[in-house]
Amino acid sequence: MKVLVLGGCGIQGKTAVFDLAGSTDVERVICADVNLEGIKAIAGFIDMTKVHTAALDAGDPASLDRLFGQADVVIDLLPRQFMEAVCQAAIRCGVSVVNTNYAYPIAGLNDSARDAGVAIMPECGLDPGIDLVLYGEAGRRFDELNVINSYCGGFPEREACDNPLNYKVSWVFEGVLASTKRDGRLIRQGTVIDIPGARQHDPDYIHTVVFPGLGTLEAIPNGDAVFFTDALGVTPTIRETGRYSLRWPGWSAFWRPLKQLGFLSEDPVAGLACPVSPYQMMDKLLGPQLQYKHTEKDLVAMLNVFEGKQGGRQVRSISRLLIQRNLETGLMAMAQGVGYPASIVAQMLARGEIVEKGILSPMKHIPYTAFIDALRSRGIIVDEEKITLA
């Protein structure tokens, strides 16, 4: 199979290229990006005879169509503003695509994709991605679901916590800033609660969890949990659900006063020589200071808790995974958590293991056992614990 990776020289893109080049089913990897220098970082660890680079102008439909014409399937790891343009190219060219962003912007393309015989799989990375595959399996295993709480976060190993935030950047810092302003929606005691992004770090909404081997982590509401219980068709029986980011303790105490003082405002500050917003300043000021050294590991921790009825009993099922940076290849834990699932599912699509067309969902359309086995073969192990409550 021939696989096109859009944004293949980025942090996550290099990981997908690395994985694809090591697959016996892949004969050609087209690594497309605006700057192709990044591929050198992994050139010593992969079969570069399979990898072909191509210049990309994501804003030019002709450029996208030309590249799509060379591939059996596409992995889109470009910034989220290009998502719809990439999916439109997939429909025009009749080539299926995997994307790691939330599906909201392309929900209206389902009929067009289905009519074109194309599968578009958004939300297929880490979070959203692996977590949603676990959601889907829980929906199949439980007779009734009452609790779904999903936790995921990337942060430095303890030895690398050498700044006041105890945080470093394993993806794009602007994306980190955007996540600190994201509205949340959860269910507590059967009641839907909407949390504005401005109040995301308030004490009423944060709590702590204990993760084996790491200790206490802070959980911050991040995203619309009800959207996914609706999609799974279980909201009527849910008494508690939430989606939470994980950080070392102290994260919310740092951001809460800064948000109250307007440091994440996107409005230009009056009286400056040029129009600069506090948000832009924070991105340019903090991002460069929060970079990993080559000898430091980032970690990704994911925890999913499901409770409900199973065979007449009340059962709790807990799924955990922990990913660490590979210091030999330099591949970040976050990039593995995003790039490997995208590569796995792209290959499933190309092999015909996923046959549905249209806008698909990891909850419903990714075969669970094959996916979990593929993660395990790449060193990402999902541990499961089952507890009978009553």
Side-chain angles (χ1 to χ4, degrees), residues 127 149-156 165-168 170-171 176 179 200-201 207-212 214-222 243-252 299-304 319-322 334:
D127 169 17
N149 284 322
S150 183
Y151 304 84
C152 186
F155 39 82
L165 267 175
N166 288 332
Y167 184 80
K168 292 187 176 179
S170 55
W171 47 313
V176 178
S179 74
Q200 178 190 41
H201 297 93
H207 62 280
T208 59
V209 296
V210 176
F211 196 96
L214 297 179
T216 300
L217 298 171
E218 190 172 296
I220 305 102
N222 193 13
R243 292 176 68 80
Y244 302 92
S245 293
L246 292 176
R247 296 287 188 266
W248 291 119
W251 179 262
S252 293
L299 307 175
V300 164
M302 178 181 283
L303 170 68
N304 288 277
S319 300
R320 301 182 184 90
L321 65 82
L322 179 66
M334 181 67 70

Side-chain angles (χ1 to χ4, degrees), residues 6 57-65 68 76 78-93 97 99 105-106 109 120:
L6 300 174
D57 179 356
D60 178 14
S63 175
L64 288 172
D65 290 357
F68 269 73
D76 171 23
L78 295 172
R80 59 186 179 273
Q81 62 262 34
F82 296 109
M83 182 180 183
E84 184 172 357
V86 169
C87 292
Q88 292 284 9
I91 292 168
R92 288 195 304 271
C93 299
V97 63
N99 186 283
I106 59 165
L109 297 179
I120 297 176

Side-chain angles (χ1 to χ4, degrees), residues 114-130:
R114 189 176 57 245
D115 292 345
V118 166
I120 297 176
M121 183 77 77
E123 301 175 341
C124 188
L126 171 70
D127 169 17
I130 296 175

Side-chain angles (χ1 to χ4, degrees), residues 165-361:
L165 267 175
N166 288 332
Y167 184 80
K168 292 187 176 179
V169 183
S170 55
W171 47 313
V172 179
F173 189 62
E174 190 279 329
V176 178
L177 286 179
S179 74
T180 66
K181 300 174 60 174
R182 185 177 294 145
D183 295 340
R185 199 167 194 233
L186 49 82
I187 295 176
R188 286 182 179 173
Q189 298 179 338
T191 301
V192 175
I193 299 173
D194 289 296
I195 304 173
R199 297 195 59 200
Q200 178 190 41
H201 297 93
D202 285 8
D204 287 347
Y205 300 124
I206 63 172
H207 62 280
T208 59
V209 296
V210 176
F211 196 96
L214 297 179
T216 300
L217 298 171
E218 190 172 296
I220 305 102
N222 193 13
D224 186 349
V226 184
F227 174 86
F228 292 105
T229 58
D230 283 348
L232 196 57
V234 298
T235 302
T237 64
I238 291 290
R239 70 171 185 271
E240 181 180 318
T241 189
R243 292 176 68 80
Y244 302 92
S245 293
L246 292 176
R247 296 287 188 266
W248 291 119
W251 179 262
S252 293
F254 178 90
W255 288 109
R256 191 182 311 123
L258 290 183
K259 290 168 82 168
Q260 291 172 355
L261 291 168
F263 275 82
L264 293 182
S265 170
E266 296 186 52
D267 297 326
V269 177
L272 298 182
C274 58
V276 177
S277 71
Y279 184 89
Q280 292 171 312
M281 184 275 291
M282 294 288 281
D283 181 25
K284 301 305 180 186
L285 175 65
L286 293 184
Q289 298 182 61
L290 302 177
Q291 300 301 311
Y292 283 90
K293 301 180 180 123
H294 294 303
T295 56
E296 295 176 337
K297 290 183 179 181
D298 73 311
L299 307 175
V300 164
M302 178 181 283
L303 170 68
N304 288 277
V305 180
F306 306 98
E307 287 184 19
K309 294 178 182 176
Q310 219 176 60
R313 295 185 173 184
Q314 196 72 17
V315 171
R316 177 184 298 143
S317 176
I318 303 172
S319 300
R320 301 182 184 90
L321 65 82
L322 179 66
I323 313 172
Q324 301 184 48
R325 184 184 189 183
N326 185 328
L327 292 180
E328 181 181 350
T329 62
L331 296 177
M332 307 293 285
M334 181 67 70
Q336 295 173 56
V338 174
Y340 287 163
S343 172
I344 291 166
V345 174
Q347 292 180 67
M348 286 179 169
L349 286 169
R351 287 193 295 262
E353 295 173 19
I354 299 171
V355 298
E356 293 86 354
K357 308 300 178 185
I359 306 296
L360 308 185
S361 167

